[in-house]
């Protein structure tokens, strides 16, 4: 069955520390891959996407993600977290113009 | 990317009533999508709405409960009918642009509470 898995429900990180959010997918072919962020009370904002080509993708707000076909993973990273990065992060897979979302990872940033 | 607005931003409704949510895009787009985000949950696709054709519903969602209109290339509505407390969710619309590209951009969402 097709699925998107975000293994970490909640991550707490200190401001200035690095952050990595995990995402694994299970699909028959390599789908399109996305990371979205949802701040409290807000809609979803696209951070970055991967369709093909370079497997290291740069996004907005200093985020990057790396696609690893052998591991069916698309992990999101940020070298130095800011307090404003506290939010819910969703990995999503696109197939046939539709998106399937992971369960999300809540990121808490401590001072 | 398209700018998407939704009305209302939030509402509190009584059981058994219906609410229509509007989604407006600032440019013409081919595909529009409606999602539901139940409290503390991820997003689930309700249906895909293309202009000039009937909406396509995902498994578990039916037209009688969630009728959708798509009268033109910039506008869509989702109605939540005969509401119950289980319908309390955030409802989001999204679009992938005129070319039907695979990147979706989302509206701010409508937070619905059913008493």
């Amino acid at each position: 069955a097709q699925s998107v898995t975000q293994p970490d429900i909640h991550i707490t990180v200190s401001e200035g520390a690095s952050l990595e959010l995990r995402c694994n997918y299970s699909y028959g072919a390599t789908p399109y891959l996305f990371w979205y962020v949802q701040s409290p009370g807000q809609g979803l904002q696209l951070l970055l996407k991967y369709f093909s080509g370079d497997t290291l993708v740069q996004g907005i707000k200093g985020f990057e993600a790396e696609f690893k076909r052998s591991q069916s993973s698309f992990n999101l990273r940020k070298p130095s977290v800011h307090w404003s990065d506290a939010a819910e992060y969703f990995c999503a897979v696109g197939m046939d113009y539709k998106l399937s979302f992971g369960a999300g990872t809540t990121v808490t940033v401590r001072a | 990317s398209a700018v998407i607005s939704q009305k209302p931003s939030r509402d509190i409704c009584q059981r058994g009533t219906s609410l229509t949510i509007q989604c407006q895009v600032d440019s013409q787009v081919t595909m529009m999508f409606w999602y539901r985000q139940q409290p503390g949950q991820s997003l689930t696709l309700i249906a895909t709405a293309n202009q000039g054709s009937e909406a396509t519903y995902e498994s578990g969602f039916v037209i009688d409960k969630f009728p959708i209109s798509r009268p033109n290339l910039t506008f869509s509505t989702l109605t939540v009918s005969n509401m119950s407390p289980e319908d309390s969710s955030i409802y989001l619309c999204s679009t992938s642009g005129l070319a039907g590209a695979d990147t979706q951009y989302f509206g701010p969402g409508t937070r619905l509470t059913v008493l």
Side-chain angles (χ1 to χ4, degrees), chain A residues 21 24-25 32 39 45 47 64 69 94:
Chain A
L21 304 181
N24 293 94
Y25 65 90
Y32 298 150
S39 298
Q45 182 179 23
L47 285 175
E64 66 178 26
R69 184 188 304 274

Side-chain angles (χ1 to χ4, degrees), chain A residues 1-16:
Chain A
Q2 299 175 336
S3 65
V4 184
T5 302
Q6 293 180 245
D8 305 303
I9 297 174
H10 191 188
I11 288 179
T12 299
V13 61
S14 298
E15 191 169 15

Side-chain angles (χ1 to χ4, degrees), chain A residues 32 36 38 49 97-98 102, chain B residues 37 42 58 100 102-104:
Chain A
Y32 298 150
Y36 288 87
Q38 186 177 36
K49 60 187 177 184
Y97 301 111
K98 299 178 183 179
Chain B
Q37 185 179 22
S42 185
E58 298 300 305
D102 289 277
T103 302
Q104 291 185 27

